Amino acid sequence: MNHEGFINCCRLSLVALFFCLLSVVSSNLYSCPAFMHRADLGQIKTKIHAKDLSLYSYQESTKKWHLETLDIEKADKLSQIDMNSINNFEKDSIFEKNTRLVFEFPQSVTDRFNPDPSSPKDLKNLPCSNPSFIYEIYSPRYHSYLYLTDCKENSSSSKPIVLNDISQDLIYSSFFKFFHYPKNHVAFKNIEVISKDKTKFISAADNATLAVYLDIKYFLSIELGASNLFSQIRSWFTTPQQKIADVSFFWKLLFMDIDINMRATTSFYKESVFIPFQMNVPAESRDYLNKNSGSLYSWNVNDIISYDMSGETLPIFNLSDVKKAASSKLAQKFCHGKLCKFSLNGRGPDFNFTAYFAMEKKMVDLGFFPFLVTDEAKARHDLGWDSKINPALKNRIGIYMNVSGLRTGDYYWDFWIDVDKDRTNLPAVCPTPIKVSPIFISG
C-alpha cells in the first residue's frame, strides 16, 4: 500500500468514528426545539423580511400576548449553519428556503388563541395592530400553541441558557456540567447532572476513551487512541436559547497532522443537542480494511444511569453480526423506506434521555450503523484488538461503528440528543414535531 492510500484509509476511519464519538459525549447532558422553514408558510405569496418576524404565546385568562424568543439562521441542505447569519437582521434579509426559524415551547402549557367571531373585542385582540399574517404552531408533544406573525418586534431578551468556561474546559447549564479534555472538546473527563432535589450535581459518566483500530489488508494493524484526536473551535455564537460551536477536527499521527475534512456546527439547547454530520470517503474501504476495523467510544458505567440493552432500538454488538453487517438484515428493522433510525435510551434520576440517529438506508446497507457494546473488554477481545480479556475494561460500555464496507462518496446523517424530565407516550424525536396552520392572512 502506498503512502497516499494509507493516509486515505486513516482518514476514512477517523471521519466515521466521529459519529459514534459524539453520540456518547452528549447523551447524558441536555427540551427539544422546533424548526420551521419558509415552505411551512406556503399560502403567503409575498416576500417576508426576516427582521419583521415575531413569535408569541397567548394567555386565555388574561387575553394577553407574550413575546417569545425566536432564532433566525441560514442553514444549507445538510443543516450546517452560516455563523454570520444568526439573528443578523439586515435590511434585505428575506425569509427564504435556506432560512430556519428555531424556537422552544415554554415550560408551562400555552393556550390557544380561539376568538369568538361574534365578539368584536376578541377579533381585535391581535398581537399587534396590523399584522399581515398570523400562523398557529401547535406542539402535540407539549400540548401548547405559539403564533408567528410579522409584527416587527424583536424577540424578548434573556440570559443565555448554555454557557462555557474556557479556563475549566467546561460547558454547562443549570441542568448539566460537561468537563472535556483541553485539546479534545468531544471527549469528556466527567459529566454531571443536577440531582432530583436540585441541591447538587451527581457524576453520571466519566473517563471516556476512544479507540480506532485499522486492520489494513496485506500491511499491519494500527490502534489509535483518544489522545490523537484534536479539535479546534473556530467560533462560538450565543443566543438566549442556544450556544453554537463551529468545530473542525484533525488527527495527529507521528509527525503528521491529518485533516479529516470534517466540520460540524453543533447547537446546544436547554436540554438537547443537534449535530448534523457530513463526511467524504475518499477511497473504497473494502479494498484497504479487514472487517474488524472500526471505532469504539467507551465510558465507565455506574448506578446513576441505566441503559436499554434489549436491542429493540439499537443493535447489540456481536462479532458475527459485525462481519456480515453489510449483507445481513440485522439493521433493516430500523429502516422505513429510505430512512433508518436508531436510538440509545437511558434513564437517570428524574429524567430520561435518547441519543437519536437518523441516516439513509444506503449507509446501513454498507454496514455503517451503530452497535451498542455492553462489555468493552469482551468486544475488544472478540475483534482481535486485544489478545487477552482485560478485567479493567469489563465495567465499560460504548458505541462501535464498523467502516470496512463503505464505498467512495459523500455521506450525511442527523444526530440528536433529547433529555425529557416528564416523558410522555409520544416518541422522543427531535426536532419536536409541530403542526402549522394559518389563522389570518391579509389580502
PDB file of all heavy atoms in Angstrom, residues 183-207:
ATOM      1  N   LYS A 183      -7.572  19.578  24.769  1.00  0.00           N
ATOM      2  CA  LYS A 183      -7.393  19.605  23.319  1.00  0.00           C
ATOM      3  C   LYS A 183      -8.389  18.709  22.592  1.00  0.00           C
ATOM      4  O   LYS A 183      -8.231  18.431  21.401  1.00  0.00           O
ATOM      5  CB  LYS A 183      -5.970  19.174  22.960  1.00  0.00           C
ATOM      6  CG  LYS A 183      -4.916  20.158  23.436  1.00  0.00           C
ATOM      7  CD  LYS A 183      -3.528  19.728  22.990  1.00  0.00           C
ATOM      8  CE  LYS A 183      -2.471  20.720  23.439  1.00  0.00           C
ATOM      9  NZ  LYS A 183      -1.118  20.338  22.986  1.00  0.00           N
ATOM     10  N   ASN A 184      -9.393  18.259  23.305  1.00  0.00           N
ATOM     11  CA  ASN A 184     -10.396  17.374  22.709  1.00  0.00           C
ATOM     12  C   ASN A 184     -11.760  17.736  23.281  1.00  0.00           C
ATOM     13  O   ASN A 184     -12.135  17.296  24.358  1.00  0.00           O
ATOM     14  CB  ASN A 184     -10.053  15.917  23.010  1.00  0.00           C
ATOM     15  CG  ASN A 184     -10.893  14.952  22.205  1.00  0.00           C
ATOM     16  OD1 ASN A 184     -11.970  15.310  21.734  1.00  0.00           O
ATOM     17  ND2 ASN A 184     -10.420  13.737  22.048  1.00  0.00           N
ATOM     18  N   HIS A 185     -12.488  18.574  22.551  1.00  0.00           N
ATOM     19  CA  HIS A 185     -13.757  19.093  23.051  1.00  0.00           C
ATOM     20  C   HIS A 185     -14.882  18.065  23.027  1.00  0.00           C
ATOM     21  O   HIS A 185     -15.967  18.328  23.532  1.00  0.00           O
ATOM     22  CB  HIS A 185     -14.186  20.313  22.233  1.00  0.00           C
ATOM     23  CG  HIS A 185     -13.249  21.466  22.348  1.00  0.00           C
ATOM     24  ND1 HIS A 185     -12.072  21.532  21.634  1.00  0.00           N
ATOM     25  CD2 HIS A 185     -13.289  22.585  23.096  1.00  0.00           C
ATOM     26  CE1 HIS A 185     -11.433  22.651  21.933  1.00  0.00           C
ATOM     27  NE2 HIS A 185     -12.150  23.305  22.815  1.00  0.00           N
ATOM     28  N   VAL A 186     -14.640  16.906  22.434  1.00  0.00           N
ATOM     29  CA  VAL A 186     -15.706  15.914  22.310  1.00  0.00           C
ATOM     30  C   VAL A 186     -15.475  14.680  23.170  1.00  0.00           C
ATOM     31  O   VAL A 186     -16.277  13.754  23.146  1.00  0.00           O
ATOM     32  CB  VAL A 186     -15.903  15.497  20.838  1.00  0.00           C
ATOM     33  CG1 VAL A 186     -16.449  16.657  20.029  1.00  0.00           C
ATOM     34  CG2 VAL A 186     -14.609  14.983  20.242  1.00  0.00           C
ATOM     35  N   ALA A 187     -14.399  14.664  23.914  1.00  0.00           N
ATOM     36  CA  ALA A 187     -14.158  13.569  24.858  1.00  0.00           C
ATOM     37  C   ALA A 187     -14.265  14.135  26.272  1.00  0.00           C
ATOM     38  O   ALA A 187     -13.684  15.177  26.573  1.00  0.00           O
ATOM     39  CB  ALA A 187     -12.781  12.958  24.631  1.00  0.00           C
ATOM     40  N   PHE A 188     -14.995  13.452  27.123  1.00  0.00           N
ATOM     41  CA  PHE A 188     -15.239  14.033  28.440  1.00  0.00           C
ATOM     42  C   PHE A 188     -14.419  13.385  29.553  1.00  0.00           C
ATOM     43  O   PHE A 188     -14.159  12.204  29.564  1.00  0.00           O
ATOM     44  CB  PHE A 188     -16.729  13.970  28.795  1.00  0.00           C
ATOM     45  CG  PHE A 188     -17.324  12.594  28.868  1.00  0.00           C
ATOM     46  CD1 PHE A 188     -17.197  11.812  30.007  1.00  0.00           C
ATOM     47  CD2 PHE A 188     -18.038  12.069  27.797  1.00  0.00           C
ATOM     48  CE1 PHE A 188     -17.757  10.552  30.084  1.00  0.00           C
ATOM     49  CE2 PHE A 188     -18.592  10.802  27.850  1.00  0.00           C
ATOM     50  CZ  PHE A 188     -18.453  10.041  29.001  1.00  0.00           C
ATOM     51  N   LYS A 189     -14.027  14.242  30.495  1.00  0.00           N
ATOM     52  CA  LYS A 189     -13.437  13.763  31.741  1.00  0.00           C
ATOM     53  C   LYS A 189     -14.544  13.306  32.674  1.00  0.00           C
ATOM     54  O   LYS A 189     -14.448  12.275  33.323  1.00  0.00           O
ATOM     55  CB  LYS A 189     -12.651  14.869  32.432  1.00  0.00           C
ATOM     56  CG  LYS A 189     -11.457  15.396  31.687  1.00  0.00           C
ATOM     57  CD  LYS A 189     -10.822  16.518  32.507  1.00  0.00           C
ATOM     58  CE  LYS A 189      -9.647  17.155  31.799  1.00  0.00           C
ATOM     59  NZ  LYS A 189      -9.092  18.289  32.582  1.00  0.00           N
ATOM     60  N   ASN A 190     -15.589  14.124  32.729  1.00  0.00           N
ATOM     61  CA  ASN A 190     -16.700  13.834  33.633  1.00  0.00           C
ATOM     62  C   ASN A 190     -17.951  14.553  33.161  1.00  0.00           C
ATOM     63  O   ASN A 190     -17.870  15.658  32.616  1.00  0.00           O
ATOM     64  CB  ASN A 190     -16.358  14.284  35.061  1.00  0.00           C
ATOM     65  CG  ASN A 190     -17.322  13.741  36.096  1.00  0.00           C
ATOM     66  OD1 ASN A 190     -17.975  12.718  35.888  1.00  0.00           O
ATOM     67  ND2 ASN A 190     -17.423  14.415  37.217  1.00  0.00           N
ATOM     68  N   ILE A 191     -19.089  13.910  33.335  1.00  0.00           N
ATOM     69  CA  ILE A 191     -20.383  14.530  33.069  1.00  0.00           C
ATOM     70  C   ILE A 191     -21.203  14.485  34.352  1.00  0.00           C
ATOM     71  O   ILE A 191     -21.349  13.421  34.957  1.00  0.00           O
ATOM     72  CB  ILE A 191     -21.154  13.812  31.948  1.00  0.00           C
ATOM     73  CG1 ILE A 191     -20.417  13.969  30.614  1.00  0.00           C
ATOM     74  CG2 ILE A 191     -22.566  14.364  31.815  1.00  0.00           C
ATOM     75  CD1 ILE A 191     -21.052  13.213  29.478  1.00  0.00           C
ATOM     76  N   GLU A 192     -21.709  15.638  34.768  1.00  0.00           N
ATOM     77  CA  GLU A 192     -22.507  15.722  35.985  1.00  0.00           C
ATOM     78  C   GLU A 192     -23.901  16.243  35.656  1.00  0.00           C
ATOM     79  O   GLU A 192     -24.053  17.125  34.805  1.00  0.00           O
ATOM     80  CB  GLU A 192     -21.848  16.655  37.003  1.00  0.00           C
ATOM     81  CG  GLU A 192     -20.452  16.211  37.425  1.00  0.00           C
ATOM     82  CD  GLU A 192     -19.796  17.196  38.360  1.00  0.00           C
ATOM     83  OE1 GLU A 192     -20.422  18.231  38.692  1.00  0.00           O
ATOM     84  OE2 GLU A 192     -18.642  16.951  38.763  1.00  0.00           O
ATOM     85  N   VAL A 193     -24.914  15.693  36.314  1.00  0.00           N
ATOM     86  CA  VAL A 193     -26.294  16.145  36.128  1.00  0.00           C
ATOM     87  C   VAL A 193     -26.856  16.569  37.472  1.00  0.00           C
ATOM     88  O   VAL A 193     -26.424  16.088  38.531  1.00  0.00           O
ATOM     89  CB  VAL A 193     -27.187  15.044  35.510  1.00  0.00           C
ATOM     90  CG1 VAL A 193     -26.758  14.738  34.095  1.00  0.00           C
ATOM     91  CG2 VAL A 193     -27.143  13.781  36.359  1.00  0.00           C
ATOM     92  N   ILE A 194     -27.819  17.472  37.432  1.00  0.00           N
ATOM     93  CA  ILE A 194     -28.401  18.003  38.666  1.00  0.00           C
ATOM     94  C   ILE A 194     -29.194  16.922  39.381  1.00  0.00           C
ATOM     95  O   ILE A 194     -29.854  16.087  38.754  1.00  0.00           O
ATOM     96  CB  ILE A 194     -29.304  19.231  38.355  1.00  0.00           C
ATOM     97  CG1 ILE A 194     -29.613  20.035  39.627  1.00  0.00           C
ATOM     98  CG2 ILE A 194     -30.563  18.808  37.634  1.00  0.00           C
ATOM     99  CD1 ILE A 194     -28.425  20.758  40.180  1.00  0.00           C
ATOM    100  N   SER A 195     -29.108  16.906  40.698  1.00  0.00           N
ATOM    101  CA  SER A 195     -29.843  15.924  41.479  1.00  0.00           C
ATOM    102  C   SER A 195     -31.337  16.223  41.469  1.00  0.00           C
ATOM    103  O   SER A 195     -31.764  17.322  41.097  1.00  0.00           O
ATOM    104  CB  SER A 195     -29.345  15.914  42.929  1.00  0.00           C
ATOM    105  OG  SER A 195     -29.549  17.182  43.533  1.00  0.00           O
ATOM    106  N   LYS A 196     -32.128  15.247  41.893  1.00  0.00           N
ATOM    107  CA  LYS A 196     -33.584  15.393  41.863  1.00  0.00           C
ATOM    108  C   LYS A 196     -34.061  16.558  42.716  1.00  0.00           C
ATOM    109  O   LYS A 196     -34.968  17.285  42.341  1.00  0.00           O
ATOM    110  CB  LYS A 196     -34.245  14.090  42.340  1.00  0.00           C
ATOM    111  CG  LYS A 196     -35.758  14.058  42.155  1.00  0.00           C
ATOM    112  CD  LYS A 196     -36.313  12.689  42.504  1.00  0.00           C
ATOM    113  CE  LYS A 196     -37.816  12.634  42.260  1.00  0.00           C
ATOM    114  NZ  LYS A 196     -38.376  11.291  42.551  1.00  0.00           N
ATOM    115  N   ASP A 197     -33.401  16.765  43.867  1.00  0.00           N
ATOM    116  CA  ASP A 197     -33.799  17.888  44.728  1.00  0.00           C
ATOM    117  C   ASP A 197     -33.105  19.189  44.337  1.00  0.00           C
ATOM    118  O   ASP A 197     -33.258  20.220  44.994  1.00  0.00           O
ATOM    119  CB  ASP A 197     -33.513  17.567  46.195  1.00  0.00           C
ATOM    120  CG  ASP A 197     -32.038  17.282  46.443  1.00  0.00           C
ATOM    121  OD1 ASP A 197     -31.216  17.494  45.540  1.00  0.00           O
ATOM    122  OD2 ASP A 197     -31.714  16.847  47.572  1.00  0.00           O
ATOM    123  N   LYS A 198     -32.278  19.141  43.279  1.00  0.00           N
ATOM    124  CA  LYS A 198     -31.604  20.313  42.726  1.00  0.00           C
ATOM    125  C   LYS A 198     -30.653  20.982  43.710  1.00  0.00           C
ATOM    126  O   LYS A 198     -30.420  22.198  43.639  1.00  0.00           O
ATOM    127  CB  LYS A 198     -32.640  21.322  42.193  1.00  0.00           C
ATOM    128  CG  LYS A 198     -33.491  20.771  41.061  1.00  0.00           C
ATOM    129  CD  LYS A 198     -34.456  21.801  40.515  1.00  0.00           C
ATOM    130  CE  LYS A 198     -35.283  21.203  39.376  1.00  0.00           C
ATOM    131  NZ  LYS A 198     -36.250  22.186  38.818  1.00  0.00           N
ATOM    132  N   THR A 199     -30.085  20.206  44.605  1.00  0.00           N
ATOM    133  CA  THR A 199     -29.153  20.763  45.591  1.00  0.00           C
ATOM    134  C   THR A 199     -27.697  20.492  45.228  1.00  0.00           C
ATOM    135  O   THR A 199     -26.796  21.116  45.789  1.00  0.00           O
ATOM    136  CB  THR A 199     -29.439  20.195  46.988  1.00  0.00           C
ATOM    137  OG1 THR A 199     -29.270  18.763  46.958  1.00  0.00           O
ATOM    138  CG2 THR A 199     -30.855  20.523  47.423  1.00  0.00           C
ATOM    139  N   LYS A 200     -27.455  19.553  44.297  1.00  0.00           N
ATOM    140  CA  LYS A 200     -26.074  19.205  43.960  1.00  0.00           C
ATOM    141  C   LYS A 200     -26.023  18.546  42.587  1.00  0.00           C
ATOM    142  O   LYS A 200     -27.042  18.120  42.033  1.00  0.00           O
ATOM    143  CB  LYS A 200     -25.505  18.255  45.005  1.00  0.00           C
ATOM    144  CG  LYS A 200     -26.287  16.953  45.137  1.00  0.00           C
ATOM    145  CD  LYS A 200     -25.726  16.078  46.253  1.00  0.00           C
ATOM    146  CE  LYS A 200     -26.568  14.809  46.404  1.00  0.00           C
ATOM    147  NZ  LYS A 200     -26.050  13.944  47.488  1.00  0.00           N
ATOM    148  N   PHE A 201     -24.814  18.466  42.041  1.00  0.00           N
ATOM    149  CA  PHE A 201     -24.591  17.758  40.785  1.00  0.00           C
ATOM    150  C   PHE A 201     -24.004  16.378  41.074  1.00  0.00           C
ATOM    151  O   PHE A 201     -23.170  16.224  41.967  1.00  0.00           O
ATOM    152  CB  PHE A 201     -23.642  18.552  39.878  1.00  0.00           C
ATOM    153  CG  PHE A 201     -24.290  19.719  39.198  1.00  0.00           C
ATOM    154  CD1 PHE A 201     -24.374  20.955  39.821  1.00  0.00           C
ATOM    155  CD2 PHE A 201     -24.833  19.572  37.928  1.00  0.00           C
ATOM    156  CE1 PHE A 201     -24.978  22.036  39.193  1.00  0.00           C
ATOM    157  CE2 PHE A 201     -25.444  20.645  37.291  1.00  0.00           C
ATOM    158  CZ  PHE A 201     -25.517  21.883  37.919  1.00  0.00           C
ATOM    159  N   ILE A 202     -24.466  15.385  40.312  1.00  0.00           N
ATOM    160  CA  ILE A 202     -24.046  13.997  40.503  1.00  0.00           C
ATOM    161  C   ILE A 202     -23.323  13.513  39.255  1.00  0.00           C
ATOM    162  O   ILE A 202     -23.765  13.752  38.127  1.00  0.00           O
ATOM    163  CB  ILE A 202     -25.274  13.096  40.768  1.00  0.00           C
ATOM    164  CG1 ILE A 202     -26.060  13.601  41.979  1.00  0.00           C
ATOM    165  CG2 ILE A 202     -24.839  11.651  40.980  1.00  0.00           C
ATOM    166  CD1 ILE A 202     -27.382  12.887  42.173  1.00  0.00           C
ATOM    167  N   SER A 203     -22.208  12.832  39.447  1.00  0.00           N
ATOM    168  CA  SER A 203     -21.465  12.283  38.313  1.00  0.00           C
ATOM    169  C   SER A 203     -22.268  11.183  37.637  1.00  0.00           C
ATOM    170  O   SER A 203     -22.665  10.207  38.267  1.00  0.00           O
ATOM    171  CB  SER A 203     -20.123  11.723  38.787  1.00  0.00           C
ATOM    172  OG  SER A 203     -19.419  11.157  37.698  1.00  0.00           O
ATOM    173  N   ALA A 204     -22.526  11.337  36.328  1.00  0.00           N
ATOM    174  CA  ALA A 204     -23.313  10.363  35.569  1.00  0.00           C
ATOM    175  C   ALA A 204     -22.433   9.463  34.711  1.00  0.00           C
ATOM    176  O   ALA A 204     -22.809   8.336  34.419  1.00  0.00           O
ATOM    177  CB  ALA A 204     -24.332  11.079  34.697  1.00  0.00           C
ATOM    178  N   ALA A 205     -21.276   9.956  34.303  1.00  0.00           N
ATOM    179  CA  ALA A 205     -20.353   9.173  33.482  1.00  0.00           C
ATOM    180  C   ALA A 205     -18.982   9.820  33.543  1.00  0.00           C
ATOM    181  O   ALA A 205     -18.857  11.030  33.746  1.00  0.00           O
ATOM    182  CB  ALA A 205     -20.849   9.092  32.043  1.00  0.00           C
ATOM    183  N   ASP A 206     -17.941   9.000  33.379  1.00  0.00           N
ATOM    184  CA  ASP A 206     -16.600   9.568  33.427  1.00  0.00           C
ATOM    185  C   ASP A 206     -15.627   8.729  32.611  1.00  0.00           C
ATOM    186  O   ASP A 206     -15.938   7.621  32.182  1.00  0.00           O
ATOM    187  CB  ASP A 206     -16.122   9.683  34.881  1.00  0.00           C
ATOM    188  CG  ASP A 206     -15.922   8.332  35.539  1.00  0.00           C
ATOM    189  OD1 ASP A 206     -14.809   7.785  35.444  1.00  0.00           O
ATOM    190  OD2 ASP A 206     -16.886   7.802  36.141  1.00  0.00           O
ATOM    191  N   ASN A 207     -14.473   9.315  32.397  1.00  0.00           N
ATOM    192  CA  ASN A 207     -13.343   8.641  31.768  1.00  0.00           C
ATOM    193  C   ASN A 207     -13.674   8.056  30.394  1.00  0.00           C
ATOM    194  O   ASN A 207     -13.533   6.865  30.145  1.00  0.00           O
ATOM    195  CB  ASN A 207     -12.792   7.543  32.690  1.00  0.00           C
ATOM    196  CG  ASN A 207     -11.456   7.021  32.202  1.00  0.00           C
ATOM    197  OD1 ASN A 207     -10.732   7.705  31.494  1.00  0.00           O
ATOM    198  ND2 ASN A 207     -11.142   5.793  32.588  1.00  0.00           N
TER     199      ASN A 207
END
